Amino acid sequence: MRTVEDPRPEIADRTARLLAWATASMAPAGVAAADIADRLAASSEGGKAFRGRLLLAAFDGCGGSDREAALELAAALELFQTAALLHDDVLDGSDTRRGRPAAHKVFEAQHRDAGWHGDAAAYGRAGAILAGDVALVAAQRGATLAARRVGDVVADLFDEMAALVTAGQHLDMRVAVSPVDALPGLERDIRTIMRSKTASYTAEFPLALGAAAAGASAATVSSLREAGLPLGAAFQLRDDVLGLTGTPERTGKPVGDDLREGKRTLLVWHAVTAGDDAQRAAVLGVLGRADASADEIRAAIDAITASGALAAVEEQIAREAARARDALGAALPDASSVLALVDAAVDRSA
């Protein structure tokens, strides 16, 4: 099995090539192309390339030989992630990403500083959406280049992933504006969001794409998709925990942003179902309130912890990670690199 100590430089190189292709394609649009290219270059920096690395680990674990195809797919995944983040920040109204102003805020500031006509905030949102669209085009380009080398199955998987994640994002929006007191269906909806929006492109499809690029059997690809679901769930649950217990320096976003945005997470669900009246009131009092103060957010976080929600989610992370490890060990001839990434995803502090 071929292994690379840290494939991130290779992934970054292929990502830069795809962005260069997009920049050249946009060149006739002049300054508008430069605006978008600048935002894409900045937005694609600073990540851990977890998805691309997971794809390559699955590729290596299945004994793949055409590493160029696998690297194209890894870069395509990272650009898909860039597009998702650009769009998510607009949909969620998030002002920061990875410790820097979100793309829509940069476009907004450009409009305001130049003294242009119209609504600066609307211009910023539109610019970020269009930049995300170009990132998607570049991601699809990478998947197409890989498919030319290893077959159409990787393109089919990539397209399926893109459609599912988009629908998952819409479900996330629907649930976020639904009454939180609709408790009987809330847990189901939260788990459906985790499966369709996060688990799909964080683990399920990266694993499947890596195996398909290696020429693995349909049965192996299917087994890895199944193994990716608990891994993706553990990844999302860890993100939810870090959103409450992490620091802005580590997570790149203000503590409690998920609460202000009204995100329905299992932490929230546990707190409003298992907490006492005071704990429930503290959580519901900030949920979806963009103007919630730091003290109110801290009180809500303390209530979530005191309700037992944090401990319950930590237990679930451990269970999901164990399921993923068992399934991956059974599906891959050599699962060592993939299992190392499982540990990194579950145990991360940012």
Side-chain angles (χ1 to χ4, degrees):
M1 171 176 146
R2 183 191 189 283
T3 58
V4 175
E5 187 66 27
D6 186 351
R8 280 176 285 190
E10 290 183 286
I11 297 172
D13 176 68
R14 296 316 188 282
T15 303
R17 293 186 197 181
L18 289 172
L19 288 178
W21 169 84
T23 300
S25 299
M26 294 187 294
V31 293
D35 285 348
I36 290 176
D38 287 347
R39 281 306 91 219
L40 288 180
S43 298
S44 62
E45 294 175 347
K48 297 180 177 64
F50 174 80
R51 294 159 183 82
R53 290 157 62 201
L54 188 62
L55 184 153
L56 291 174
F59 173 82
D60 290 334
C62 290
S65 58
D66 192 340
R67 194 168 184 81
E68 289 301 313
L71 286 167
E72 289 287 1
L73 283 171
L77 266 180
E78 292 306 311
L79 283 171
F80 185 86
Q81 161 78 344
T82 296
L85 296 181
L86 286 164
H87 289 162
D88 279 2
D89 287 343
V90 172
L91 294 170
D92 297 338
S94 299
D95 290 346
T96 60
R97 173 63 63 181
R98 294 171 179 165
R100 298 175 295 189
H104 66 96
K105 301 303 291 185
V106 175
F107 279 117
E108 178 183 335
Q110 179 191 32
H111 181 289
R112 186 175 293 110
D113 293 345
W116 292 337
H117 297 294
D119 186 334
Y123 179 87
R125 292 190 295 270
I129 290 169
L130 292 170
D133 290 346
V134 173
L136 280 176
V137 171
Q140 293 288 353
R141 170 74 174 177
T144 297
L145 292 174
R148 290 175 184 172
R149 301 180 66 103
V150 295
D152 288 341
V153 64
V154 295
D156 293 341
L157 286 167
F158 201 91
D159 291 346
E160 183 183 347
M161 174 190 73
L164 177 56
V165 173
T166 303
Q169 175 62 65
H170 183 59
L171 177 61
D172 197 8
M173 293 169 56
R174 280 179 58 102
V175 173
V177 297
S178 300
V180 75
D181 286 336
L183 296 177
L186 182 57
E187 181 185 14
R188 180 198 64 231
D189 287 342
I190 292 169
R191 293 186 184 281
T192 302
I193 292 167
M194 286 198 298
R195 185 262 177 270
S196 56
K197 180 185 172 184
T198 304
S200 57
Y201 87 107
T202 298
E204 176 190 1
F205 283 96
L207 289 166
L209 285 163
S217 68
T220 296
V221 172
S222 179
S223 294
L224 286 173
R225 287 187 65 167
E226 287 298 317
L229 296 179
L231 173 55
F235 187 99
Q236 180 61 62
L237 292 171
R238 176 57 65 205
D239 261 3
D240 293 343
V241 170
L242 288 172
L244 297 183
T245 64
T247 64
E249 293 75 24
R250 286 186 172 272
T251 65
K253 299 189 76 172
V255 173
D257 243 23
D258 285 352
L259 293 172
R260 289 189 176 94
E261 291 167 8
K263 293 284 186 183
R264 273 46 164 178
T265 65
L266 282 183
L267 287 164
V268 168
W269 180 80
H270 276 288
V272 298
T273 55
D276 59 28
D277 289 344
Q279 292 161 352
R280 178 185 170 93
V283 175
L284 295 182
V286 302
L287 195 65
R289 273 187 53 211
D291 63 346
S293 69
D295 287 344
E296 288 175 313
I297 291 295
R298 174 46 56 192
I301 293 172
D302 289 344
I304 289 171
T305 302
S307 73
L310 196 60
V313 168
E314 286 288 357
E315 290 176 4
Q316 178 151 7
I317 291 172
R319 288 196 301 271
E320 298 286 6
R323 286 180 55 209
R325 290 187 185 99
D326 289 345
L328 289 166
L332 283 171
D334 187 334
S336 56
S337 294
V338 170
L339 292 177
L341 286 171
V342 173
D343 294 340
V346 173
D347 299 334
R348 64 200 158 99
S349 58

